[in-house]
Amino acid sequence: MGNYLNSLRLRRRKRLAAQYAQPGDQRVAVIGLGRFGSSLAGELMRRGWDVLGIDTDAGLVQKYSDGLTHSAVADCTDPEALRQLGVGDFTSAVVAIGSHIEASILVTSNLLDAGVSNIWAKAISRQHGQILERLGAHHVVLPEHEMGERVAHLVTGRMLDFIEFDDDYALVKTVAPDVATGMPLGQSRVRSRYGVTVVGIKRPGQGFTYATADTVMERGDVIVVTGKTHDVEAFSELS
């Protein structure tokens, strides 16, 4: 079950890799090789993408150059730097600059002017994200904010893991509440009564199994449920 949840979390937190480009185009420029940018670039490389990593810090570029298809030391707030590197020919680019908001905005603007059709930009605050969206960035991510929300759910509730999607839809790992145990899922009417769907169950000492209408939850089972965020939150608090 851990692998199952990890794959879903990876799809959400690094959905960049799955949605970047049009079919057949697996080139991406990652501008900013800090913790977020270098982690993203490495993941894309592992998925077989052609990655150009760019940063103004020669030390960072040297550090990660062996793991990238191409790398360059350049200041992408200068449109000429982007032109010389041929970034305008890329379908996708990621602005992974976090701490320097002005640079983040300038680079995003330059990428738009260069005609890059799929731009992802990291924001360090909601206000920063709003500026990037208004500027024209196609996708804005707030990794620290999203992780903070996830941990808050885990700290304040009985959930063992929590993943929320953009449309107020969540997937949660929790312990089966007593009110839903001892009878088949079809009979307990979990979906109609609580608005959640039980995806799978892991019984102590056994492997993860997908749930069906005939599955009977028992006390102590670890379950994975999906539904609207407020519904899965309420369900996980049942006793």
Side-chain angles (χ1 to χ4, degrees), residues 18-195:
Q19 298 178 9
Y20 269 130
Q22 299 173 357
D25 188 345
Q26 291 189 304
R27 296 183 305 155
V28 58
V30 177
I31 302 170
L33 295 177
R35 285 177 295 180
F36 176 75
S38 60
S39 175
L40 173 63
E43 180 64 26
L44 288 165
M45 286 292 296
R46 284 189 290 274
R47 291 169 178 255
W49 282 62
D50 186 341
V51 179
L52 167 61
I54 308 169
D55 201 288
T56 56
D57 187 329
L60 284 177
V61 173
Q62 178 64 32
K63 180 178 179 179
Y64 297 112
S65 61
D66 290 343
L68 301 175
T69 314
H70 312 282
S71 60
V73 179
D75 180 3
C76 292
T77 61
D78 180 359
E80 180 62 19
L82 289 178
R83 190 192 66 78
Q84 291 182 3
L85 291 170
V87 175
D89 297 330
F90 283 59
T91 301
S92 302
V94 183
V95 182
I97 302 168
S99 57
H100 301 289
I101 295 178
E102 182 179 355
S104 166
I105 294 169
L106 285 172
V107 172
T108 302
S109 177
N110 290 340
L111 290 170
L112 287 164
D113 290 343
V116 178
S117 59
N118 198 13
I119 300 170
W120 292 77
K122 174 188 174 182
I124 60 174
S125 67
R126 289 193 181 279
Q127 292 81 2
H128 182 195
Q130 288 172 352
I131 293 172
L132 292 170
E133 288 175 346
R134 290 170 182 170
L135 190 64
H138 307 102
H139 311 277
V140 175
V141 293
L142 293 90
E144 289 87 356
H145 178 79
E146 292 171 357
M147 180 56 71
E149 285 186 338
R150 175 171 171 264
V151 173
H153 278 89
L154 302 182
V155 169
T156 59
R158 296 176 62 243
M159 292 175 247
L160 304 175
D161 210 345
F162 175 88
I163 305 171
E164 187 173 28
F165 298 89
D166 291 338
D167 54 355
D168 193 33
Y169 187 84
L171 182 144
V172 166
K173 181 171 78 170
T174 187
V175 177
D178 291 345
V179 296
T181 60
M183 67 185 78
L185 284 172
Q187 184 179 338
S188 65
R189 297 185 292 116
V190 167
R191 184 179 300 176
S192 60
R193 291 174 64 187
Y194 304 108

Side-chain angles (χ1 to χ4, degrees), residues 1-16 18-19 43 47 146-147 150 161-166 169-173 197-200 208 210 223-227:
M1 181 165 55
N3 290 336
Y4 176 76
L5 283 170
N6 286 338
S7 66
L8 288 168
R9 187 181 303 112
L10 183 63
R11 183 174 61 187
R12 178 176 186 260
R13 293 174 60 192
K14 295 187 176 182
R15 59 188 179 277
L16 310 150
Q19 298 178 9
E43 180 64 26
R47 291 169 178 255
E146 292 171 357
M147 180 56 71
R150 175 171 171 264
D161 210 345
F162 175 88
I163 305 171
E164 187 173 28
F165 298 89
D166 291 338
Y169 187 84
L171 182 144
V172 166
K173 181 171 78 170
T197 299
V198 179
V199 177
F208 172 84
Y210 290 96
I223 61 175
V224 177
V225 298
T226 63

